Amino acid sequence: MSFSVFLPYLLVMAGVTYLIRMLPLTLIRKPIRSRFLRSFLTYVPYAVLGAMTLPDALYATSSVWTAIPGVLVAAVMAWRGKSLLSVAAAACLAVAAAQGIMLLL
């Protein structure tokens, strides 16, 4: 890609990123008092992270059927408040075990 094509893309991306971060700071000066809006804004990052992570986790292996045990193990361990390292390690072990079982079948 040539620089003359890349530069407009870069400028538009920088402008959109700046506007997304600047507009709330300039337009919303008072504290948000609506309970619904505050709770909505509290959970939006978790919902977006989940929507971005789950499909990628399901298609990270060669088969969706070997990824499902890893996702389930990770979800249960995260729900129980385990550390990120132990959740990731257990999910990897679950996927490896599921792939081993799939090879035997």
Side-chain angles (χ1 to χ4, degrees), residues 60-80:
T61 63
S62 59
S63 170
V64 174
W65 298 109
T66 58
I68 290 174
V71 170
L72 292 176
V73 166
V76 168
M77 289 187 70
W79 186 268
R80 293 181 177 229

Side-chain angles (χ1 to χ4, degrees), residues 4-100:
S4 62
V5 173
F6 175 72
L7 186 60
Y9 288 151
L10 179 68
L11 292 175
V12 168
M13 182 187 67
V16 168
T17 303
Y18 178 73
L19 285 175
I20 289 172
R21 294 173 186 268
M22 184 261 317
L23 283 177
L25 293 174
T26 58
L27 297 178
I28 305 171
R29 296 189 181 242
K30 297 178 185 177
I32 300 171
R33 296 183 192 222
S34 168
R35 279 181 77 186
F36 173 76
L37 190 58
R38 287 178 58 181
S39 65
F40 175 76
L41 291 174
T42 299
Y43 291 111
V44 164
Y46 301 111
V48 170
L49 183 62
M52 289 174 25
T53 305
L54 185 62
D56 203 33
L58 288 176
Y59 293 104
T61 63
S62 59
S63 170
V64 174
W65 298 109
T66 58
I68 290 174
V71 170
L72 292 176
V73 166
V76 168
M77 289 187 70
W79 186 268
R80 293 181 177 229
K82 302 297 181 186
S83 71
L84 181 62
L85 182 62
S86 62
V87 169
C92 289
L93 288 174
V95 168
Q99 285 181 340

